[in-house]
Amino acid sequence: MLHPISLFIIFKVGVAKAVLTIHPNSSQIFSGESVTLRSLPKATLTVKPNPVFPGETVTLMCSVRSDSIWSYKWYKDRNDNVVSQSVSHTITGDNLTINGSTVNEGPYWCQGARESRPTSSSISDPVTITLNALPVASVSVSPQGLLYSGETVSLQCVIPDYTNWRHLWFRDNQQLPSQTSKSITFPITQTGQYRCEGKRRDHPQRSQPSDYVTINVTAFPKATLTVKPNPVFPGETVTLMCSVGSDSIWNYQWYKDRNDNVVSQSVRHTITGDTINISRAAESDQGLYWCQGEIQSRSISSIISDPVTITMNALPRASVSISPQFVLYPGDTVTLQCDISDYTDWTYYWFIDNQLLRSPTRTTITISLPDQAGQYQCVGRRRDRPQMSYYSSALPIIVTALPKATLTVKPNPVFPGETVSLTCSVGSDRRDPVQIHIINQQ
């Protein structure tokens, strides 16, 4: 007699199940009969799109072969944690739709179920939904630096990845509907905040918005002109410096006497950046000066500076005096003195016949005649301003030949008892006049 065999099959949740098929079909299995154990069909889970970008809708589709009589269960994070209908999860037939993903999702599984045998499928392999960051837009501004009223500014929307973007521009949170290109150009009249973002047909369909860029409108600055030294003495170097705020991108124009009379580079006028040097200053350099900043590449000019007057002071003039002040003869010794009326601490330089006397640098010199006769000049120099005086006029030191004495007698002839006068004279020099009187009593 055949005896029935009891067969126990234990299933574990989440693990592939097997189907027991008995041939022939019977509720009992007898010794010697064959038993076929067949695997359950396995669910297949597909996700589109994956990876996904923030805010996009993701569709998960579950299928068990081609049989359409299955219903489906969904699991998230663990393969026994059932996903239910919610605001972010919409379940429709074999689809699970996830709305507005913001972080990595999953893993997800799915499993088929039905009323007929087998009543469930094997659970699918897990699928993780990966969240890719959206490309981030940024705004670049040209020109850089301070921007001035009426100036034309260009903004460019830069999105580093992907192509075929349609660019959306916003000013102070209001969309600029007519602007959809990558770059926009406009004259600025007031301060505003600008940002951009991109949209496209393909995946991803949008970018992250850029940060706001503030476009500040700056009033035109005024140039400032400084002059050193001022007043100036003849022969000195004068430096004029122009500045427009702290911005180093300015070039400068210089004007003299009229604010449209441009000062150009010349032998005595050296222009370097924000500075003009006037060498060997002369009276013709006196007058009114202005300066103005320019950014030529942007056709911008600053407000012209206030005028500065360069004034020229006369140098103090040296003069030479002589002592004693008489006709000079061979053997005389005289003293020359150099006088400079203003300032102190002069060093004196003496010249004879336009040749520098090397040794003396004092205010006075003593000369002996006739060997040192000639034309004498002096000039003063000092460390402080003014550093020199004008040259004195030339003083000629002339040696006169010794004159011959002349004797005159009156009356002559003379009569007895008269008074006779003898007069001796030497030219017109009255330094040592001599008169001789002889009285004859006979």
Side-chain angles (χ1 to χ4, degrees):
M1 170 182 268
L2 295 175
H3 299 282
I5 299 173
S6 297
L7 179 64
F8 298 93
I9 300 177
I10 300 174
F11 300 100
K12 186 177 181 181
V13 175
V15 178
K17 297 180 179 180
V19 176
L20 179 62
T21 304
I22 302 173
H23 294 280
N25 189 11
S26 171
S27 60
Q28 291 183 325
I29 303 172
F30 294 94
S31 178
E33 290 186 325
S34 65
V35 176
T36 303
L37 189 64
R38 189 173 61 192
S39 297
L40 290 174
K42 185 174 182 177
T44 300
L45 176 58
T46 57
V47 179
K48 289 185 180 179
N50 193 27
V52 64
F53 291 93
E56 289 186 329
T57 296
V58 188
T59 300
L60 290 77
M61 178 179 289
C62 194
S63 63
V64 182
R65 297 179 182 167
S66 60
D67 199 337
S68 61
I69 61 173
W70 295 92
S71 60
Y72 297 94
K73 287 184 177 181
W74 306 88
Y75 305 94
K76 181 177 182 291
D77 299 330
R78 301 190 317 273
N79 59 10
D80 59 353
N81 181 34
V82 177
V83 177
S84 302
Q85 190 93 359
S86 66
V87 174
S88 59
H89 295 84
T90 303
I91 300 172
T92 307
D94 57 357
N95 288 337
L96 168 62
T97 302
I98 304 171
N99 301 307
S101 298
T102 57
V103 294
N104 288 346
E105 297 273 3
Y108 282 85
W109 294 262
C110 72
Q111 187 176 29
R114 63 180 185 177
E115 293 184 359
S116 61
R117 296 178 61 248
T119 57
S120 64
S121 72
S122 175
I123 197 165
S124 70
D125 292 330
V127 173
T128 297
I129 299 173
T130 302
L131 186 74
N132 278 359
L134 289 172
V136 180
S138 62
V139 176
S140 63
V141 182
S142 179
Q144 296 288 328
L146 296 177
L147 301 171
Y148 300 97
S149 180
E151 188 175 8
T152 297
V153 63
S154 293
L155 305 182
Q156 185 172 13
C157 188
V158 179
I159 304 175
D161 299 312
Y162 311 100
T163 57
N164 301 323
W165 291 104
R166 182 170 62 92
H167 299 82
L168 307 181
W169 288 94
F170 299 82
R171 181 182 185 275
D172 298 334
N173 280 328
Q174 299 295 317
Q175 186 175 353
L176 302 175
S178 60
Q179 305 287 358
T180 57
S181 59
K182 182 176 183 177
S183 298
I184 60 173
T185 301
F186 54 93
I188 55 172
T189 55
Q190 59 184 358
T191 296
Q193 289 192 318
Y194 293 81
R195 71 173 177 86
C196 73
E197 61 184 73
K199 291 189 180 296
R200 61 200 290 269
R201 294 181 180 274
D202 299 327
H203 180 71
Q205 294 184 322
R206 66 184 184 91
S207 73
Q208 286 277 29
S210 71
D211 292 332
Y212 273 102
V213 170
T214 300
I215 303 297
N216 289 312
V217 181
T218 305
F220 284 106
K222 185 173 182 178
T224 300
L225 175 60
T226 56
V227 178
K228 290 183 180 181
N230 194 27
V232 62
F233 291 97
E236 288 185 325
T237 296
V238 190
T239 299
L240 292 79
M241 179 175 290
C242 195
S243 63
V244 180
S246 59
D247 203 335
S248 61
I249 62 175
W250 295 91
N251 296 317
Y252 296 93
Q253 285 273 28
W254 308 87
Y255 307 94
K256 182 180 184 295
D257 297 331
R258 303 189 316 273
N259 59 10
D260 60 352
N261 182 34
V262 177
V263 179
S264 302
Q265 187 99 357
S266 67
V267 173
R268 292 195 306 109
H269 297 80
T270 304
I271 299 173
T272 307
D274 59 355
T275 301
I276 180 171
N277 288 313
I278 304 174
S279 60
R280 303 188 303 280
E283 286 189 9
S284 60
D285 297 315
Q286 294 186 109
L288 290 173
Y289 287 82
W290 293 263
C291 74
Q292 188 174 30
E294 295 181 343
I295 305 176
Q296 295 176 346
S297 61
R298 291 158 57 182
S299 301
I300 291 174
S301 297
S302 72
I303 299 172
I304 198 166
S305 71
D306 293 329
V308 174
T309 301
I310 293 181
T311 304
M312 180 164 288
N313 284 355
L315 291 173
R317 188 175 293 278
S319 63
V320 177
S321 61
I322 183 171
S323 178
Q325 295 183 352
F326 297 117
V327 176
L328 302 176
Y329 297 105
D332 280 346
T333 297
V334 295
T335 298
L336 304 181
Q337 180 167 322
C338 187
D339 294 309
I340 302 174
S341 57
D342 298 315
Y343 310 99
T344 59
D345 301 325
W346 292 103
T347 299
Y348 299 89
Y349 295 87
W350 289 92
F351 299 82
I352 179 172
D353 299 331
N354 291 322
Q355 298 296 315
L356 176 66
L357 297 177
R358 296 290 179 185
S359 299
T361 56
R362 302 180 303 277
T363 185
T364 61
I365 61 172
T366 300
I367 61 174
S368 299
L369 302 178
D371 295 340
Q372 294 177 304
Q375 300 220 28
Y376 283 82
Q377 284 179 285
C378 72
V379 70
R381 296 188 185 277
R382 60 200 291 268
R383 291 182 181 275
D384 298 327
R385 298 182 61 243
Q387 294 183 320
M388 68 174 296
S389 70
Y390 281 123
Y391 283 78
S392 70
S393 299
L395 177 67
I397 303 298
I398 300 173
V399 178
T400 304
L402 289 173
K404 184 177 181 181
T406 300
L407 177 62
T408 58
V409 179
K410 288 184 179 180
N412 188 26
V414 64
F415 293 96
E418 288 183 327
T419 297
V420 182
S421 295
L422 289 81
T423 302
C424 188
S425 64
V426 182
S428 59
D429 193 347
R430 301 302 184 200
R431 284 192 293 176
D432 299 303
V434 176
Q435 288 190 343
I436 300 176
H437 298 277
I438 301 175
I439 301 175
N440 189 342
Q441 299 293 332
Q442 295 181 357

